[in-house]
Tab-separated table of all heavy atoms in Angstrom:
chain	number	residue	atom	x	y	z
M	30	ASP	N	30.830	-43.646	6.938
M	30	ASP	CA	31.556	-42.540	6.959
M	30	ASP	C	32.551	-42.476	8.202
M	30	ASP	O	33.672	-42.158	8.135
M	30	ASP	CB	30.727	-41.326	6.845
M	30	ASP	CG	31.459	-40.109	6.415
M	30	ASP	OD1	32.003	-40.172	5.233
M	30	ASP	OD2	31.614	-39.086	7.083
M	31	ARG	N	31.930	-42.852	9.323
M	31	ARG	CA	32.739	-42.827	10.561
M	31	ARG	C	33.315	-44.225	10.947
M	31	ARG	O	34.282	-44.298	11.768
M	31	ARG	CB	31.856	-42.331	11.748
M	31	ARG	CG	31.381	-40.902	11.561
M	31	ARG	CD	30.315	-40.459	12.519
M	31	ARG	NE	30.038	-38.979	12.315
M	31	ARG	CZ	28.965	-38.423	12.807
M	31	ARG	NH1	28.093	-39.098	13.654
M	31	ARG	NH2	28.755	-37.112	12.545
M	32	ASN	N	32.844	-45.252	10.344
M	32	ASN	CA	33.263	-46.592	10.638
M	32	ASN	C	33.474	-47.275	9.294
M	32	ASN	O	33.310	-46.630	8.216
M	32	ASN	CB	32.297	-47.343	11.603
M	32	ASN	CG	32.229	-46.757	12.948
M	32	ASN	OD1	33.240	-46.907	13.720
M	32	ASN	ND2	31.223	-46.045	13.252
M	33	GLY	N	33.725	-48.589	9.337
M	33	GLY	CA	33.871	-49.307	8.087
M	33	GLY	C	34.943	-48.696	7.193
M	33	GLY	O	36.124	-48.580	7.673
M	34	PRO	N	34.649	-48.254	5.925
M	34	PRO	CA	35.657	-47.711	5.040
M	34	PRO	C	36.104	-46.307	5.547
M	34	PRO	O	37.112	-45.896	5.109
M	34	PRO	CB	34.944	-47.619	3.710
M	34	PRO	CG	33.461	-47.516	4.151
M	34	PRO	CD	33.307	-48.366	5.259
M	35	CYS	N	35.385	-45.807	6.515
M	35	CYS	CA	35.769	-44.411	7.035
M	35	CYS	C	35.984	-43.388	5.969
M	35	CYS	O	37.162	-42.833	5.842
M	35	CYS	CB	37.000	-44.542	7.968
M	35	CYS	SG	36.688	-45.433	9.478
M	36	ILE	N	34.981	-43.171	5.159
M	36	ILE	CA	35.180	-42.261	3.971
M	36	ILE	C	35.528	-40.867	4.468
M	36	ILE	O	36.207	-40.071	3.901
M	36	ILE	CB	33.858	-42.292	3.198
M	36	ILE	CG1	33.670	-43.614	2.515
M	36	ILE	CG2	33.876	-41.160	2.139
M	36	ILE	CD1	32.301	-43.850	1.961
M	37	ASN	N	34.937	-40.449	5.664
M	37	ASN	CA	35.297	-39.223	6.335
M	37	ASN	C	34.837	-38.008	5.528
M	37	ASN	O	35.668	-37.075	5.249
M	37	ASN	CB	36.864	-39.082	6.564
M	37	ASN	CG	37.230	-38.118	7.563
M	37	ASN	OD1	36.416	-37.652	8.389
M	37	ASN	ND2	38.493	-37.619	7.534
M	38	SER	N	33.575	-37.981	5.171
M	38	SER	CA	33.038	-36.939	4.292
M	38	SER	C	32.200	-35.928	5.143
M	38	SER	O	31.770	-34.959	4.588
M	38	SER	CB	32.254	-37.442	3.080
M	38	SER	OG	31.177	-38.147	3.578
M	39	ILE	N	31.712	-36.344	6.311
M	39	ILE	CA	30.864	-35.529	7.070
M	39	ILE	C	31.517	-35.013	8.427
M	39	ILE	O	31.969	-35.782	9.165
M	39	ILE	CB	29.601	-36.298	7.528
M	39	ILE	CG1	28.859	-36.901	6.137
M	39	ILE	CG2	28.610	-35.463	8.310
M	39	ILE	CD1	28.237	-35.752	5.328
M	40	ILE	N	31.537	-33.643	8.498
M	40	ILE	CA	32.139	-33.142	9.671
M	40	ILE	C	31.176	-33.139	10.922
M	40	ILE	O	31.601	-33.481	11.970
M	40	ILE	CB	32.577	-31.663	9.391
M	40	ILE	CG1	33.763	-31.636	8.480
M	40	ILE	CG2	32.884	-30.929	10.632
M	40	ILE	CD1	34.316	-30.226	8.168
M	41	SER	N	29.866	-32.740	10.629
M	41	SER	CA	28.925	-32.730	11.694
M	41	SER	C	27.513	-33.164	11.156
M	41	SER	O	27.328	-32.916	9.999
M	41	SER	CB	28.848	-31.357	12.397
M	41	SER	OG	28.469	-30.406	11.453
M	42	THR	N	26.710	-33.678	12.011
M	42	THR	CA	25.368	-33.895	11.654
M	42	THR	C	24.387	-32.989	12.481
M	42	THR	O	24.772	-32.437	13.448
M	42	THR	CB	24.922	-35.403	11.949
M	42	THR	OG1	25.224	-35.704	13.275
M	42	THR	CG2	25.734	-36.357	11.051
M	43	ASN	N	23.267	-32.831	11.954
M	43	ASN	CA	22.320	-31.822	12.547
M	43	ASN	C	21.556	-32.422	13.635
M	43	ASN	O	20.873	-33.376	13.475
M	43	ASN	CB	21.327	-31.410	11.405
M	43	ASN	CG	20.426	-30.225	11.834
M	43	ASN	OD1	20.324	-29.972	13.046
M	43	ASN	ND2	19.862	-29.593	10.843
M	44	PRO	N	21.759	-31.874	14.816
M	44	PRO	CA	21.134	-32.486	16.047
M	44	PRO	C	19.588	-32.316	16.034
M	44	PRO	O	18.860	-32.986	16.732
M	44	PRO	CB	21.707	-31.721	17.201
M	44	PRO	CG	22.138	-30.462	16.596
M	44	PRO	CD	22.582	-30.758	15.295
M	45	ARG	N	19.070	-31.420	15.067
M	45	ARG	CA	17.623	-31.304	14.932
M	45	ARG	C	17.041	-31.917	13.733
M	45	ARG	O	15.916	-31.537	13.369
M	45	ARG	CB	17.333	-29.729	15.040
M	45	ARG	CG	17.700	-29.060	16.390
M	45	ARG	CD	17.468	-27.584	16.396
M	45	ARG	NE	16.129	-27.275	16.004
M	45	ARG	CZ	15.697	-25.929	15.701
M	45	ARG	NH1	16.455	-25.052	15.844
M	45	ARG	NH2	14.379	-25.756	15.440
M	46	ALA	N	17.784	-32.660	13.132
M	46	ALA	CA	17.305	-33.258	11.740
M	46	ALA	C	16.074	-34.150	11.944
M	46	ALA	O	15.100	-34.005	11.197
M	46	ALA	CB	18.329	-34.008	11.085
M	47	LEU	N	16.001	-34.946	13.063
M	47	LEU	CA	14.837	-35.761	13.179
M	47	LEU	C	13.706	-34.914	13.626
M	47	LEU	O	12.545	-35.218	13.245
M	47	LEU	CB	15.149	-36.808	14.290
M	47	LEU	CG	16.184	-37.914	13.788
M	47	LEU	CD1	16.569	-38.721	15.022
M	47	LEU	CD2	15.524	-38.836	12.766
M	48	GLU	N	13.879	-33.909	14.397
M	48	GLU	CA	12.844	-32.981	14.806
M	48	GLU	C	12.246	-32.348	13.562
M	48	GLU	O	10.966	-32.201	13.510
M	48	GLU	CB	13.416	-31.947	15.858
M	48	GLU	CG	12.438	-30.881	16.246
M	48	GLU	CD	13.172	-29.854	17.127
M	48	GLU	OE1	14.102	-30.143	17.883
M	48	GLU	OE2	12.686	-28.587	17.057
M	49	GLU	N	13.121	-31.799	12.760
M	49	GLU	CA	12.597	-31.231	11.541
M	49	GLU	C	11.764	-32.212	10.668
M	49	GLU	O	10.730	-31.906	10.014
M	49	GLU	CB	13.761	-30.640	10.638
M	49	GLU	CG	13.410	-29.957	9.416
M	49	GLU	CD	12.473	-28.737	9.538
M	49	GLU	OE1	12.388	-28.227	10.681
M	49	GLU	OE2	11.932	-28.281	8.537
M	50	ALA	N	12.233	-33.421	10.575
M	50	ALA	CA	11.607	-34.543	9.812
M	50	ALA	C	10.194	-34.763	10.430
M	50	ALA	O	9.206	-34.857	9.702
M	50	ALA	CB	12.368	-35.842	9.929
M	51	ASP	N	10.097	-34.798	11.756
M	51	ASP	CA	8.702	-34.912	12.415
M	51	ASP	C	7.875	-33.785	11.999
M	51	ASP	O	6.640	-33.997	11.794
M	51	ASP	CB	8.930	-34.942	13.920
M	51	ASP	CG	9.625	-36.235	14.420
M	51	ASP	OD1	9.515	-37.316	13.726
M	51	ASP	OD2	10.101	-36.245	15.554
M	52	ARG	N	8.413	-32.580	12.005
M	52	ARG	CA	7.570	-31.444	11.605
M	52	ARG	C	7.015	-31.532	10.202
M	52	ARG	O	5.813	-31.253	9.929
M	52	ARG	CB	8.374	-30.129	11.742
M	52	ARG	CG	7.532	-28.870	11.434
M	52	ARG	CD	8.419	-27.639	11.351
M	52	ARG	NE	9.292	-27.578	10.287
M	52	ARG	CZ	8.821	-27.216	8.926
M	52	ARG	NH1	7.619	-26.893	8.821
M	52	ARG	NH2	9.719	-27.203	8.076
M	53	LEU	N	7.934	-32.033	9.308
M	53	LEU	CA	7.451	-32.239	7.892
M	53	LEU	C	6.533	-33.382	7.756
M	53	LEU	O	5.583	-33.367	6.947
M	53	LEU	CB	8.695	-32.370	7.026
M	53	LEU	CG	9.584	-31.073	6.766
M	53	LEU	CD1	10.865	-31.425	6.221
M	53	LEU	CD2	8.806	-30.110	5.971
M	54	ASP	N	6.665	-34.492	8.534
M	54	ASP	CA	5.701	-35.561	8.534
M	54	ASP	C	4.409	-35.064	8.932
M	54	ASP	O	3.290	-35.497	8.347
M	54	ASP	CB	6.241	-36.722	9.296
M	54	ASP	CG	7.374	-37.449	8.756
M	54	ASP	OD1	7.429	-37.476	7.417
M	54	ASP	OD2	8.167	-38.149	9.515
M	55	ALA	N	4.334	-34.228	9.951
M	55	ALA	CA	3.091	-33.706	10.521
M	55	ALA	C	2.454	-32.806	9.478
M	55	ALA	O	1.249	-32.825	9.199
M	55	ALA	CB	3.302	-32.990	11.793
């Protein structure tokens, strides 16, 4: 999205996404 073909579909990513994933894994 940001490199390669640069589809440019995502404006921002969630800075807490990995933290939320850890919570769900637990």
Side-chain angles (χ1 to χ4, degrees):
D30 202 60
R31 296 172 176 167
N32 295 285
C35 292
I36 295 166
N37 195 24
S38 67
I39 302 295
I40 289 180
S41 62
T42 54
N43 189 341
R45 294 178 56 190
L47 290 169
E48 176 186 329
E49 179 63 11
D51 287 340
R52 185 187 70 81
L53 288 166
D54 284 334

